[in-house]
Amino acid sequence: MATAGRSFQVFVKPAGSACNLACTYCYYLDKEPRTEDCRSVRMPDDLLEAYIARHIAASPDEIVRFSWHGGEPTLAGVDFFRTAVDFQRRHLPPGRQVANGMQTNGTLLDEDWGAFLAEAEFSVGLSLDGPEKIHDAFRRTRNDRPTFREAMRGHEILRRHGVPVDILTVVGGHNVRRPAEVYGFLKSIDAPFISFLPLVEHSVDSPSGVDGRTVPAGAWGEFLCAVFDEWLAKDIGRVKIQIFEEAVRTAFGLEHSLCLFRPVCGDIPVVERNGDFFSCDHFVDPKHRLGNIRRTPLAAMLESPEHIAFGRAKLKTLPRPCLTCEVRDMCHGECPKNRFVPDPGGGPDLNYLCPGYKRFFTHCRPFVEAVAAEWHRSRT
């Protein structure tokens, strides 16, 4: 099998968009494969093995990384993942390693899950939006029950079994003006790594272009600045926050690890439970379906002209203000899905979150430059 010409990370959806929750802001609940038989809630074992074999063969890296997402991936069941790990061991060549990561709402985790995830050395991303009242504002079950306590029970199970846990916090209108409360809660549960995800829901029916749940762009920047100042004063070296890590990467001339801030995208495609391949999980629709893993090698789809063009379109449509922006290296226009604000000058649409990102990256720039200067001094 062919090897891809660059590193990649696939969001594989073993249960598709199926989820035991109905979070108000979820963008993936209505994503359903329509080109194959999907009567089973989970990816069939024969397809799972074919995907794993092709993923390992296509990866150019010594460590082959698998990212299990949803919907809710734990709906596939713990035995599904035991089978997946067995397939990985069967197809992994000598001298290479596998690393598994899973993103979950945590509410279905039990002791069996905890023991398996620890033994198989999974890392887990857990979704928590803050303390109970904030978390339960949008993260609810299909019959409108709160989920905070179940999520925290899952968190405790993971910690008890020694599973590495990263916290993913969605920041929207419900919590953006409460940075001290949100960050204080995350510190209180000893979260070692935190990712903040801005909630943006484009609405053509709204004069502002977004719905009421969306994070205000300026408030997003102020939220990040407030957390950054607290982190810099008290938590540097103890807590890692993804967007701060991304900003500091520019001090060392490193490529961004987060696709949002890379000059081009397309390095994190999706494989759905029926084997369909898409360039990004924000673009899972018939228009952006590039093939199916049953019939087309993964490397071939990663290197296809359509997939490469999808990634390069991010740079090609970079808004004009970005071209001369002093923090362009930190942002690169962020995610194309958020570029829907008309440019008064008639150029490509502007990114809705631009004012917030510019506020934060300008705010943290002196720290990043100090890190860069110290690094250069240490090298000489």
Side-chain angles (χ1 to χ4, degrees):
M1 297 184 188
T3 301
R6 57 177 176 166
S7 298
F8 61 88
Q9 176 186 358
V10 174
F11 281 2
V12 58
K13 312 276 188 170
S17 64
C19 189
N20 61 315
L21 305 189
C23 300
T24 311
Y25 52 56
C26 182
Y27 65 90
Y28 210 80
L29 283 177
D30 62 346
K31 306 293 186 184
E32 274 297 319
R34 292 179 173 84
T35 61
E36 301 285 341
D37 181 7
C38 286
R39 287 174 294 182
S40 172
V41 72
R42 73 180 206 183
M43 181 181 285
D45 285 356
D46 64 325
L47 177 59
L48 174 65
E49 182 170 18
Y51 161 67
I52 286 173
R54 293 183 176 190
H55 184 120
I56 291 173
S59 175
D61 304 317
E62 179 181 338
I63 300 177
V64 185
R65 302 184 185 279
F66 288 84
S67 299
W68 306 94
H69 281 245
E72 175 50 43
T74 59
L75 283 176
V78 68
D79 286 339
F80 172 90
F81 285 95
R82 289 191 176 102
T83 300
V85 170
D86 286 342
F87 287 152
Q88 290 171 345
R89 290 169 179 160
R90 182 181 305 173
H91 291 282
L92 189 70
R96 303 183 75 188
Q97 303 175 52
V98 161
N100 283 292
M102 175 190 291
Q103 182 65 40
T104 177
N105 59 47
T107 62
L108 299 178
L109 298 178
D110 57 19
E111 295 299 327
D112 192 24
W113 269 110
F116 163 73
L117 293 169
E119 181 183 5
E121 299 183 323
F122 271 60
S123 61
V124 174
L126 181 67
S127 296
L128 285 170
D129 283 0
E132 188 166 2
K133 287 185 177 180
I134 292 177
H135 176 90
D136 286 340
F138 292 150
R139 301 193 62 81
R140 306 183 73 84
T141 65
R142 293 183 177 276
N143 58 355
D144 201 33
R145 290 180 57 250
T147 64
F148 176 80
R149 294 184 181 181
E150 287 81 2
M152 288 303 298
R153 178 184 53 79
H155 180 258
E156 178 56 32
I157 288 170
L158 294 171
R159 285 175 58 100
R160 188 162 60 249
H161 285 274
V163 178
V165 182
D166 301 342
I167 303 298
L168 174 65
T169 298
V170 174
V171 180
H174 62 305
N175 58 0
V176 69
R177 303 190 192 281
R178 301 161 77 175
E181 188 175 354
V182 171
Y183 184 47
F185 164 76
L186 297 176
K187 289 200 294 181
S188 75
I189 64 171
D190 296 321
F193 193 97
I194 302 166
S195 296
F196 293 117
L197 179 67
L199 173 58
V200 179
E201 295 184 316
H202 185 203
S203 173
V204 295
D205 299 323
S206 169
S208 64
V210 295
D211 72 4
R213 292 187 292 263
T214 293
V215 62
W220 168 236
E222 294 303 326
F223 176 94
L224 293 174
C225 289
V227 174
F228 178 81
D229 289 344
E230 172 77 6
W231 171 82
L232 188 59
K234 301 178 181 179
D235 303 314
I236 188 170
R238 188 176 71 86
V239 179
K240 290 187 176 182
I241 298 178
Q242 187 178 45
I243 191 170
F244 302 170
E245 297 278 310
E246 292 297 318
V248 170
R249 291 180 74 88
T250 63
F252 306 107
L254 298 175
E255 180 183 50
H256 285 291
S257 62
L258 192 59
C259 65
L260 299 175
F261 301 135
R262 293 176 185 167
V264 299
C265 53
D267 293 334
I268 307 182
V270 167
V271 170
E272 256 289 349
R273 60 177 168 147
N274 67 334
D276 281 351
F277 177 97
F278 302 87
S279 293
C280 172
D281 75 344
H282 288 286
F283 296 88
V284 175
D285 54 53
K287 177 182 176 182
H288 292 93
R289 177 183 175 273
L290 299 185
N292 188 283
I293 199 71
R294 284 193 183 275
R295 292 180 291 277
T296 308
L298 179 61
M301 289 187 283
L302 288 166
E303 300 293 339
S304 69
E306 296 85 358
H307 183 63
I308 292 172
F310 176 90
R312 290 178 178 172
K314 177 180 180 177
L315 180 59
K316 186 177 180 180
T317 60
L318 193 67
R320 288 189 297 186
C322 297
L323 300 177
T324 56
C325 180
E326 60 270 25
V327 292
R328 176 180 172 180
D329 60 333
M330 293 183 170
C331 180
H332 291 292
E334 208 247 1
C335 184
K337 77 177 182 65
N338 294 329
R339 297 179 186 174
F340 52 78
V341 178
D343 179 4
D349 287 346
L350 310 178
N351 192 303
Y352 166 78
L353 291 172
C354 176
Y357 278 120
K358 190 166 186 177
R359 169 76 177 93
F360 167 66
F361 286 131
T362 301
H363 180 74
C364 75
R365 190 86 189 197
F367 169 75
V368 173
E369 291 174 347
V371 170
E374 181 62 29
W375 180 63
H376 285 297
R377 276 197 298 270
S378 68
R379 294 185 70 192
T380 57

